[in-house]
Amino acid sequence: ETGVTQSPTHLIKTRGQQVTLRCSSQSGHNTVSWYQQALGQGPQFIFQYYREEENGRGNFPPRFSGLQFPNYSSELNVNALELDDSALYLCASSRGGTGSNVRNTIYFGEGSWLTVV
Amino acid sequence: GQQLNQSPQSMFIQEGEDVSMNCTSSSIFNTWLWYKQDPGEGPVLLIALYKAGELTSNGRLTAQFGITRKDSFLNISASIPSDVGIYFCAGGYSNTGKLIFGQGTTLQVKP
């Protein structure tokens, strides 16, 4: 039990539709990151939110966007869904900071399985 | 996307045997994390390493942060059937949630 909760756990969408995935971070964690994990692959970093602002982004197009709320929970939005967007979407929380000595342990939720048909 | 080189890709061993897997990178990291992922679930943190040369144990698991900061290994001693799963290494930096993951090592244990 990591204290990171995600919803929904499974969903099916049609190509071209939009999807919103939600994440509640572990208590005391102010940084949320989102990852995409295709079948048989390691997770790929999408972006990170720290104090409600995007703070780092991986190699994903602008149709992948997010939000972080004052309680540090977060949403991942994907517009104009494509078949290749079918994957497990993982949310991870950590206690971010600006000091180089921050021991940043990152905990993952169970993920949201997205199937695009 | 960018990934670490994790090996071996898969292992099939007898219960009771020791297991070793490792990750190498062309980039320097100041954090190495090892996760285990069971089918249909998110990755579960096993061991976190924060300093070059650091050797850390968690029960039967031992991991080390390489001196060059470009590699790490994970050892599992006296494997048991519940060790079955996919093990991922991940490299990162202290004040960010961005991790670079290896391709995973699939471990199967024969009772």
Side-chain angles (χ1 to χ4, degrees), chain B residues 11-19 79 107-111:
Chain B
M11 305 180 75
F12 189 87
I13 62 169
Q14 196 76 30
E15 183 177 358
E17 289 183 350
D18 296 344
V19 171
S79 58
L107 178 63
Q108 294 176 290
V109 179
K110 184 177 178 184

Side-chain angles (χ1 to χ4, degrees), chain A residues 31 33 35 37 40-45 48 57 88 90 94 96-111 113, chain B residues 1-3 30-31 33 35 37 39-45 48 50-51 54 88 93-104:
Chain A
T31 300
S33 309
Y35 290 77
Q37 187 176 20
Q41 303 288 323
Q44 297 284 328
F45 176 75
Q48 168 184 291
R57 189 177 182 95
L88 176 66
L90 294 162
S94 55
T98 55
S100 60
N101 61 346
V102 171
R103 290 204 154 192
N104 201 14
T105 306
I106 298 169
Y107 297 95
F108 284 83
E110 296 289 323
W113 284 98
Chain B
Q2 184 183 0
Q3 283 193 320
N30 58 21
T31 302
L33 305 173
Y35 292 88
Q37 188 172 27
E41 299 184 9
V44 174
L45 181 66
Y50 301 103
K51 197 164 113 176
E54 181 180 354
F88 288 100
Y93 303 92
S94 293
N95 57 353
T96 174
K98 177 179 180 179
L99 295 175
I100 306 300
F101 278 82
Q103 303 97 320

Side-chain angles (χ1 to χ4, degrees), chain A residues 4 20-34 47-56 65-77 91-97, chain B residues 97:
Chain A
V4 181
T20 297
L21 307 177
R22 296 179 176 83
C23 173
S24 294
S25 59
Q26 190 183 99
S27 177
H29 284 185
N30 56 15
T31 300
V32 172
S33 309
W34 286 92
F47 44 53
Q48 168 184 291
Y49 277 81
Y50 173 64
R51 292 185 177 174
E52 302 177 56
E53 294 203 358
E54 187 179 298
N55 180 27
S65 64
L67 283 173
Q68 188 179 31
F69 301 98
N71 66 354
Y72 303 130
S73 65
S74 176
E75 285 182 356
L76 165 66
N77 299 293
C91 170
S93 80
S94 55
R95 185 168 54 86

Side-chain angles (χ1 to χ4, degrees), chain B residues 24-35:
Chain B
T24 59
S25 169
S26 57
S27 305
I28 289 175
F29 295 108
N30 58 21
T31 302
W32 279 95
L33 305 173
W34 284 91
Y35 292 88

Side-chain angles (χ1 to χ4, degrees), chain A residues 1-2 4 7 11 16 19 27 30 35-36 54 57 60-63 65 73-74 79 81 86 98 102 116:
Chain A
E1 183 62 47
T2 64
V4 181
S7 64
L11 70 167
V19 69
S27 177
N30 56 15
Y35 290 77
Q36 180 194 66
E54 187 179 298
R57 189 177 182 95
F60 282 82
R63 58 189 186 84
S65 64
S73 65
S74 176
N79 294 322
L81 284 166
S86 296
T98 55
V102 171
V116 182

